[in-house]
Amino acid sequence: MVDRRSARANFILGGFILSAGCHVPMPPELDLDQKLPCGNGEPRAWVMAPDYEALEARLSAAGFTVEPLALDQSPWGLDGLVVFGSGASEMPEYAEYMQTYADDLYFFVDEANVLLSLAQPTDAETVPPFLPTTHTARRGAAKLVELEVLDPDHPLLAGVEIDGGRLAWRGELGRDAFVEQGGFEVVLAGAGDGSNGALLEGAYGQGRIVLTSLPLDAPEGSDLQQEAFIGNFFANLASHVEGVCVRETTPIKPTPPPQPVPFAAGSTVFAVLPDTQVYSLRYPGVFDAQTSWIARNAASLNIAYAFHLGDIVNNNTELEWQRASGSMSLLDGIVPYGIVPGNHDYGPSGDASTRDTLMNEWFDFDDAALMPSFGGAYEKGKLDNTYHLFEAGGYQWIAVMLEWGPRDAVIDWANAVMEQYPDRLGIFITHAYLNNNDRRYDHKDTSFPQDFNPHEYDTPGGVNDGEELWQKLIRRHRFVFTLNGHVLGDGTGYLESINDRGNVVHQMLANYQMRELGGEGYLRLLELMPDGKTMHVRSYSPLFDRYLLGADQQYTIELDVE
């Protein structure tokens, strides 16, 4: 089979694509030189959607002739518009279609056609499978209540009401957005720099790819401004498809990704390593790349501490722990660090059915206790539950690092430790605490997903989830922020809560293990600015020397340190 990602670099002769000695017949109806696929004022649309009738009504009202997308035929050779309705990615036939025809979709686009994908849930489709290698787009959780208009003259916004550079329609605009993109023009976004993109257009060959996080075929509520926007959008879409067909569209202006915030002289950095389990299992070199980068940059960036958020290994085996301890040892004598065990660090094959771990055989307690910042442990000889005392950024800190699903007795110990140091700023770290819906894990709350809540495991001795930890420990003391990994989906979460002292506690989730190579080497960098309050949060890969610039991966918080 020919690789369609490189087929345009091959040449066409006698109705065949010639590539590496194999001849792949072209669809007989195609004539790349003569075909002008316009519908004489009635553009055609082929649709796959959970609510086909609703989307058909929207498109028909805009002037399209609408038909269901044939699931057993390639789209290459169709003329006009292919649309995937909101939520289509959750349909079983969608996955089957993409497995067979994903590459054919951008060949369809190349022949002066338009592909539109409406709102898809991040949990079902993080990255659209039909994108050519020239384009990237990644969805993530985002709360959109208003949208910046980056290109008010874009043809899809003709007649749309704009208020001070923002879309006049406000309210519930979606719960997902494109937190990363490359090669697209961002037309609407949650911010003026294009982050949290809500409407994107990319040019490929002679056609266009349009992505939106807005459920325009299945809107929530009945807002008049919302309906006006939707009506304008589909009418503009019909004109736009016709313009693409006759090659009378204006060039897109690709939006550069947001730029990483530069590090400031005199700032202090905390390095955060979430879920290295796949590295320990398969890619120890990636783990080495992370810790060696921290060590090399410790002086220039003033890296005060490194925190591992658990799931250090995957199956709790000798080989994995040997690799993990070797990677972390690159920090010895250079950057002080603390570790916590995750569920994969416990039990046979990392199933957390016991609290047995090889961690304490490969991370020596006596060596850890020699660090000047090591404060103590719940059990002598074990690093499952520890606290650390250090100075950084002009403050005295205490980092409390607790086991997977902490037991009540461990929480009692942590309370006693915090009571000994009431004037220190606290950092709380455990493997499972905040969920990716920006809510603490709470097994008693059945209204929200609780996938991988510690209570779902057979870990002995009792466990506490995020909400229980908040009520029993965190809210009672001077914790400034919390860190955890563990959670899948988009692997990010953020929550502000007020503790019993009236201070803000910033709670952050970071996990990258769902990416290629078990995380692509990404880690979190928390930069405390010289003012002692402003903290820049970054996601950085030493492996690729690249930052993630989505709004859930790069943001700024203000610590409540008074």
Side-chain angles (χ1 to χ4, degrees), residues 277-461:
Q277 61 200 77
V278 180
Y279 307 148
S280 298
L281 179 65
R282 295 193 180 95
Y283 309 110
V286 179
F287 202 161
D288 287 348
Q290 292 182 310
T291 51
S292 63
W293 182 90
I294 295 171
R296 288 196 312 272
N297 290 275
S300 62
L301 294 181
N302 192 23
I303 300 177
Y305 231 87
F307 304 112
H308 199 302
L309 306 186
D311 275 2
I312 304 168
V313 301
N314 195 66
N315 298 317
N316 194 21
T317 65
E318 293 278 357
L319 178 59
E320 293 172 79
W321 282 112
Q322 180 183 15
R323 291 169 171 172
S325 63
S327 294
M328 293 300 294
S329 72
L330 299 177
L331 301 177
D332 289 346
I334 302 174
V335 177
Y337 63 88
I339 60 176
V340 297
N343 53 297
H344 279 274
D345 301 322
Y346 280 129
S349 300
D351 66 1
S353 62
T354 73
R355 288 193 181 269
D356 297 326
T357 177
L358 297 173
M359 180 181 75
N360 293 299
E361 297 180 21
W362 287 96
F363 287 86
D364 187 77
F365 180 88
D366 292 334
D367 287 345
L370 292 175
M371 286 192 298
S373 57
F374 188 82
Y378 172 66
E379 297 174 274
K380 183 174 176 56
K382 292 186 176 182
L383 297 173
D384 302 51
N385 300 283
T386 60
Y387 69 94
H388 306 251
L389 306 169
F390 57 95
E391 181 178 353
Y395 296 107
Q396 299 292 321
W397 296 85
I398 177 170
V400 175
M401 307 188 68
L402 301 189
E403 65 192 10
W404 153 257
R407 295 162 286 175
D408 282 339
V410 170
I411 294 176
D412 291 342
W413 169 79
N415 273 309
V417 168
M418 288 300 293
E419 287 168 2
Q420 293 179 51
Y421 303 98
D423 296 327
R424 286 182 175 261
L425 300 181
I427 303 169
F428 177 78
I429 298 168
T430 192
H431 184 57
Y433 174 80
L434 188 68
N435 206 340
N436 61 8
N437 58 4
D438 303 328
R439 304 177 67 89
R440 290 183 289 268
Y441 269 131
D442 183 359
H443 70 288
K444 295 180 180 179
D445 188 349
T446 58
S447 300
F448 296 92
Q450 298 294 326
D451 296 341
F452 310 113
N453 187 302
H455 285 277
E456 293 185 351
Y457 295 74
D458 296 326
T459 310

Side-chain angles (χ1 to χ4, degrees), residues 51 82 103 118 148 173 218 276 285 324 346 353 365 375 437 449 476:
D51 190 346
V82 167
D103 288 356
L118 295 166
E148 298 278 350
L173 299 177
T276 56
Y346 280 129
S353 62
F365 180 88
N437 58 4
R476 302 179 180 183

Side-chain angles (χ1 to χ4, degrees), residues 149-272:
V149 180
L150 278 69
D151 184 0
D153 299 321
H154 193 279
L156 291 175
L157 298 186
V160 170
E161 184 178 355
I162 298 172
D163 180 12
R166 296 179 175 86
L167 197 66
W169 166 35
R170 294 177 174 84
E172 180 59 55
L173 299 177
R175 290 173 292 277
D176 298 299
F178 290 95
V179 296
E180 297 176 39
Q181 69 82 22
F184 285 92
E185 177 179 0
V186 180
V187 183
L188 299 174
D193 62 359
S195 58
N196 282 351
L199 178 61
L200 285 61
E201 184 182 28
Y204 183 76
Q206 302 173 84
R208 300 295 172 92
I209 299 172
V210 179
L211 306 176
T212 181
S213 63
L214 304 174
L216 303 177
D217 54 337
E220 298 181 6
S222 57
D223 183 87
L224 293 177
Q225 289 179 318
Q226 178 189 46
E227 279 299 318
F229 174 85
I230 293 172
N232 275 311
F233 176 84
F234 282 107
N236 292 334
L237 180 64
S239 299
H240 197 44
V241 170
E242 284 290 296
V244 170
C245 284
V246 298
R247 287 73 163 178
E248 292 182 355
T249 52
T250 57
I252 69 163
K253 303 178 286 291
T255 303
Q259 297 302 304
V261 177
F263 288 92
S267 64
T268 302
V269 174
F270 301 118
V272 182

Side-chain angles (χ1 to χ4, degrees), residues 48-51 55 83-91 117-121 212-219:
M48 182 191 298
D51 190 346
L55 184 51
V83 186
F84 295 107
S86 297
S89 57
E90 297 179 295
M91 301 168 64
S117 180
L118 295 166
Q120 309 299 332
T212 181
S213 63
L214 304 174
L216 303 177
D217 54 337

